[in-house]
Amino acid sequence: MQDEPQAKLRLFAACRAPDFPAGHVGSNIVTQLYPEPSKLSSLACLHSAMSLEWAAWDWSGAPSTAGIMPREERMHHSMTRFHIGAGRAAKAILLGTTLLVSAAVTPASAEDVNWRQFEGTSITWAYDIHPYADALVKELPEFEKLTGIKVTPELYPDDTYWNKLTIQLSTKSTAWDVVGTGIQPAWDLAPGGLLEPLDQYLKDPKMTAADYNYEDFFPSLRSALTWKVEDGQIAPGDGGQVWAIPHGFENIQMFYRKDILEKYKIAVPTTPPEMAKACETLKAADPSITPLGVRGVRNWSSIHTAVISIARSYGVKDFFEKDGKLDTGLDSPESVAFHKDYVDMIKKCAAPSFANDNWYQVVDGISTGRTAMAIDSNMFGFWADAEGQPASGKIAFAPPLRAPNAKEAESNIWIWSLAMNAASEKKGASWLFIQWATSKKIALAGAVEGKLVNPTRDSIWKDKAWLDYAAKPEFNNFVDSFNTTQSRAALAFTPRVGFGEAMNAWAVAMQKMVNGDDVETTLQALAEEIRAGL
């Protein structure tokens, strides 16, 4: 059964596999993960007469939660990146309710902060419908008991959320106090003064508990959410202000079906040329299996996982400074070498549907065994490995592919973070909520339930409770692969306003090269297009 607070939030109609067209990815996922429709009472479903382009996924493997996300090529994260499915034509449906207090509570931090200093305040927290939100919703009664602050969650389908976030903040509406955001969307919001810098709260001993330990967050996450703003643009260089606090994150890994690779005696590839060779071997052995699942849509969603991670190991830079001015490195010799290897690999390995594939096709393929290997956000493999899932125990992990002459693989990151609306009239209460929600105690609780994966604090990855859960046999080498990959994981993109336009152009160019256009000529045209927009 769902917890009562979550049950009150889930105001959608129940969804069943028959809601999807036969053979549709949504039908496949629902049927795989919920073979008994009677147990689908918590599965949220948005639909309209105009569209049935859906995907659904139970991220944790637990029967108590589910989620939805639109099939929208314009994903803001991986992601946006990475969330629960609803249709492109779905109407915006608000999930908002003020939670009632019913649970006893243990304070989340030290007693040096007066957690009751904003007692009686009501705030609104907005977020994407996502397992990270599910994990936090479950704990909200504890926060209200601790602080006397009432929290109204507003959770929206993915595309609806990002559109609404932009409108709410750009119009300086005070309706939302705390928001969920990714790094790249925050680049467009912060320079306009739409996000509240958080340094003053972190440094104030009356507002931040001594044991909060901001330094406990992985350095790459803290660095990615810290930047300077000058003249309406993200300024280069280290330092700056803290614009958001990490809530959950993804690093990019390869995950693969152990059963398939073992059956056909295929070694785990480490480079694009090795992958291309392995794909040819697998195709010859079993043409019904797609060797490799990767994103290919004409949107930056397809760039921020496999492409940018592997490209970094070749020495590719999206942007760099030249003579004091910003320039792109996408037509560099390193970029040409990477794209020749990557395009050859895609031609030999990816599904015929590559140009339309996003994360949900990647997840569906690896979960059903129709795909042998995938390169994407690592928690997808973790959730598919969970006890009770069709692929439980069959998926293992490895760092992403690297350049043949590179010693180590590189990984991009995507961070779901909590930020404060600069127009909020309840900033003190909002900060207490952000601080509590990202404390080790609350993050650990979400992690051991299998929802808040990956946890953002280094100490959690050394905590016995989390390691005992994440090291269960069904998760295979998840922890070891995470540690190896995270040692090289960092934000691979150059922070800048208008990031999405250049990366969308890169995704379009990638499709052209896969379809046969000359690599060097296409990259030169791409670079000139980007330079014209700088």
Side-chain angles (χ1 to χ4, degrees), residues 142-469:
E142 174 177 322
F143 176 74
E144 190 164 330
K145 182 71 173 179
L146 173 67
T147 65
I149 299 169
K150 291 183 179 295
V151 179
T152 298
E154 292 192 12
L155 310 179
Y156 295 87
D158 186 78
D159 189 56
T160 299
Y161 176 70
W162 292 113
N163 290 335
K164 196 167 180 65
L165 175 66
T166 300
I167 293 171
Q168 289 280 351
L169 270 61
S170 63
T171 60
K172 300 185 185 290
S173 169
T174 61
W176 290 358
D177 300 291
V178 177
V179 298
T181 186
I183 309 168
Q184 290 85 349
W187 291 340
D188 289 332
L189 296 170
L194 305 181
L195 295 180
E196 175 81 358
L198 301 177
D199 306 73
Q200 61 178 312
Y201 304 98
L202 283 164
K203 295 175 182 178
D204 187 346
K206 295 182 179 179
M207 292 296 295
T208 300
D211 65 350
Y212 179 64
N213 193 8
Y214 179 66
E215 301 298 314
D216 186 32
F217 293 102
F218 284 111
S220 60
L221 309 188
R222 287 185 278 117
S223 174
L225 294 168
T226 303
W227 62 82
K228 296 176 287 187
V229 174
E230 296 178 1
D231 300 325
Q233 183 56 271
I234 308 297
D238 296 331
Q241 294 174 296
V242 176
W243 296 97
I245 304 296
H247 183 217
F249 84 108
E250 310 157 19
N251 63 27
I252 309 306
Q253 295 186 39
M254 181 168 72
F255 39 99
Y256 56 93
R257 292 288 298 240
K258 291 197 313 176
D259 51 340
I260 296 175
L261 266 58
E262 289 173 359
K263 178 179 180 180
Y264 296 110
K265 297 179 173 57
I266 295 174
V268 178
T270 61
T271 68
E274 286 182 12
M275 176 64 79
K277 184 177 180 180
C279 292
E280 290 180 320
T281 301
L282 185 56
K283 279 184 175 179
D286 190 343
S288 68
I289 296 177
T290 296
L292 178 66
V294 288
R295 307 183 193 193
V297 292
R298 297 163 71 95
N299 178 275
W300 72 267
S301 168
S302 67
I303 298 297
H304 93 99
T305 49
V307 171
I308 192 64
S309 297
I310 302 172
R312 281 184 65 199
S313 72
Y314 280 75
V316 179
K317 296 181 180 179
D318 58 346
F319 295 100
F320 64 96
E321 280 195 73
K322 180 180 180 181
D323 299 327
K325 295 182 179 180
L326 199 64
D327 196 8
T328 180
L330 291 182
D331 59 348
S332 66
E334 294 85 357
S335 181
V336 172
F338 159 70
H339 282 89
K340 285 182 177 180
D341 282 354
Y342 191 83
V343 168
D344 179 65
M345 179 186 76
I346 294 300
K347 289 179 177 179
K348 293 175 179 176
C349 298
S353 60
F354 166 76
N356 296 313
D357 284 353
N358 216 319
W359 67 262
Y360 20 90
Q361 283 83 13
V362 174
V363 172
D364 184 53
I366 200 79
S367 301
T368 59
R370 292 196 302 271
T371 301
M373 296 171 279
I375 304 172
D376 212 291
S377 302
N378 70 315
M379 76 288 166
F380 287 137
F382 179 87
W383 285 325
D385 251 343
E387 183 179 0
Q389 302 290 8
S392 178
K394 297 178 181 178
I395 296 175
F397 302 83
L401 302 177
R402 56 172 174 78
N405 62 350
K407 294 182 179 180
E408 296 180 281
E410 308 286 347
S411 169
N412 188 31
I413 53 175
W414 167 269
I415 312 171
W416 266 107
S417 307
L418 294 178
M420 191 187 304
N421 180 3
S424 171
E425 298 173 342
K426 304 163 185 175
K427 292 185 172 67
S430 297
W431 170 248
L432 289 189
F433 174 68
I434 292 174
Q435 178 186 177
W436 168 85
T438 57
S439 66
K440 179 180 178 180
K441 177 186 175 183
I442 300 304
L444 180 60
V448 298
E449 289 189 350
K451 295 179 176 60
L452 198 58
V453 180
N454 301 298
T456 58
R457 288 177 171 269
D458 179 66
S459 64
I460 293 180
W461 287 90
K462 299 170 183 174
D463 191 283
K464 186 176 185 300
W466 165 240
L467 293 178
D468 284 350
Y469 177 77

Side-chain angles (χ1 to χ4, degrees), residues 30-104:
V30 172
T31 302
Q32 294 155 25
L33 300 184
Y34 295 99
E36 299 180 64
S38 63
K39 295 184 179 180
L40 282 171
S41 60
S42 68
L43 182 60
C45 180
L46 292 176
H47 62 88
S48 76
M50 297 173 61
S51 175
L52 283 173
E53 296 185 76
W54 302 79
W57 184 260
D58 173 11
W59 303 99
S60 67
S64 61
T65 59
I68 50 182
M69 177 178 181
R71 176 173 181 172
E72 184 64 47
E73 290 184 3
R74 198 176 66 79
M75 294 174 65
H76 276 275
H77 103 235
S78 220
M79 309 180 307
T80 310
R81 33 356 351 125
F82 128 42
H83 320 311
I84 306 174
R88 180 181 290 179
K91 295 181 179 180
I93 295 185
L94 169 65
L95 287 180
T97 183
T98 301
L99 297 179
L100 301 178
V101 182
S102 60

Side-chain angles (χ1 to χ4, degrees), residues 483-494:
N483 288 331
T484 299
T485 303
Q486 189 59 25
S487 68
R488 302 289 298 177
L491 179 63
F493 295 113
T494 301

